[in-house]
Amino acid sequence: MATTAENRAEMTLPSDTQLLIRREFDAPRHLVYRAWTTPELIKRWWGGQRGEVVSAEVDLRVGGSWRYVMVANGGFEVAFHGEYREIVPEERVVCTEVYEQPGVPEPEQPVVCTYTFTAQGERTCLRVLVDHPDQALRDQILASGMELGMQESLAALESVAQSLA
């Protein structure tokens, strides 16, 4: 599941609180979207090489929620959840995203992610605009080393989408 230079996600910082991720997939949009939204398929790609995804819950409707849980290779649990705010099937999904930390209350303002799936012939361009409540949180996430795991997950997403053809 190696990534090539042409299939790596590019990250830019459009503002003090935003992170923009852009990646092309060698798979049609409907298959990338299906792999991105189907719980059994999410389990195959979301963890990249970082562990085993043990739960992927998706209630894909405005106001519905999602939650993914992975047991990382170190044996600890990593979980995120959120709520869907906007859904245009195969084109656009807007949702919140919260990193679950035991003993830490949920933030008053969650991160908001806008996923845009654009067909480019038989390829797909995915843009993820991540809006953070403040620059400190954005920079903390960037400093966490999230990029390597994200690259692995998106490479795995491409492989899963291709396997559906």
Side-chain angles (χ1 to χ4, degrees), residues 108-131:
E108 290 181 26
Q109 286 186 286
V111 170
V112 177
C113 300
T114 301
Y115 297 86
T116 306
F117 300 82
T118 304
Q120 297 179 332
E122 289 300 308
R123 296 179 59 86
T124 303
C125 177
L126 172 64
R127 293 179 72 239
V128 184
L129 181 62
V130 185
D131 283 298

Side-chain angles (χ1 to χ4, degrees), residues 13-19 131 138:
L13 306 175
S15 77
D16 289 345
T17 59
Q18 293 179 318
L19 169 63
D131 283 298
R138 183 200 67 182

Side-chain angles (χ1 to χ4, degrees), residues 79-138:
F80 287 83
H81 70 270
E83 179 180 301
Y84 296 106
R85 292 183 170 179
E86 179 183 339
I87 298 170
V88 179
E90 297 187 9
E91 292 182 20
R92 180 180 161 94
V93 174
V94 180
C95 62
T96 60
E97 180 179 289
V98 176
Y99 172 56
E100 298 178 11
Q101 301 179 73
V104 176
E106 289 200 13
E108 290 181 26
Q109 286 186 286
V111 170
V112 177
C113 300
T114 301
Y115 297 86
T116 306
F117 300 82
T118 304
Q120 297 179 332
E122 289 300 308
R123 296 179 59 86
T124 303
C125 177
L126 172 64
R127 293 179 72 239
V128 184
L129 181 62
V130 185
D131 283 298
H132 302 82
D134 57 59
Q135 183 177 1
L137 178 60
R138 183 200 67 182

Side-chain angles (χ1 to χ4, degrees), residues 2-27:
T3 56
T4 61
E6 63 192 34
N7 285 353
R8 289 188 56 82
E10 301 168 2
M11 294 192 336
T12 57
L13 306 175
S15 77
D16 289 345
T17 59
Q18 293 179 318
L19 169 63
L20 178 62
I21 300 163
R22 182 187 179 282
R23 189 186 191 280
E24 291 188 15
F25 295 86
D26 190 18

Side-chain angles (χ1 to χ4, degrees), residues 18-97:
Q18 293 179 318
L19 169 63
L20 178 62
I21 300 163
R22 182 187 179 282
R23 189 186 191 280
E24 291 188 15
F25 295 86
D26 190 18
R29 177 172 69 177
H30 73 283
L31 297 181
V32 174
Y33 184 80
R34 183 173 152 204
W36 191 80
T37 57
T38 305
E40 292 309 307
L41 300 175
I42 292 166
K43 288 181 178 179
R44 292 172 47 193
W45 65 263
W46 187 70
Q49 300 170 14
R50 303 290 159 158
E52 178 186 358
V53 179
V54 295
S55 177
E57 302 168 14
V58 174
D59 181 9
L60 192 61
R61 61 182 175 83
V62 173
S65 63
W66 64 271
R67 184 171 189 260
Y68 306 157
V69 180
M70 172 178 72
V71 175
N73 293 333
F76 58 92
E77 191 173 273
V78 177
F80 287 83
H81 70 270
E83 179 180 301
Y84 296 106
R85 292 183 170 179
E86 179 183 339
I87 298 170
V88 179
E90 297 187 9
E91 292 182 20
R92 180 180 161 94
V93 174
V94 180
C95 62
T96 60
E97 180 179 289

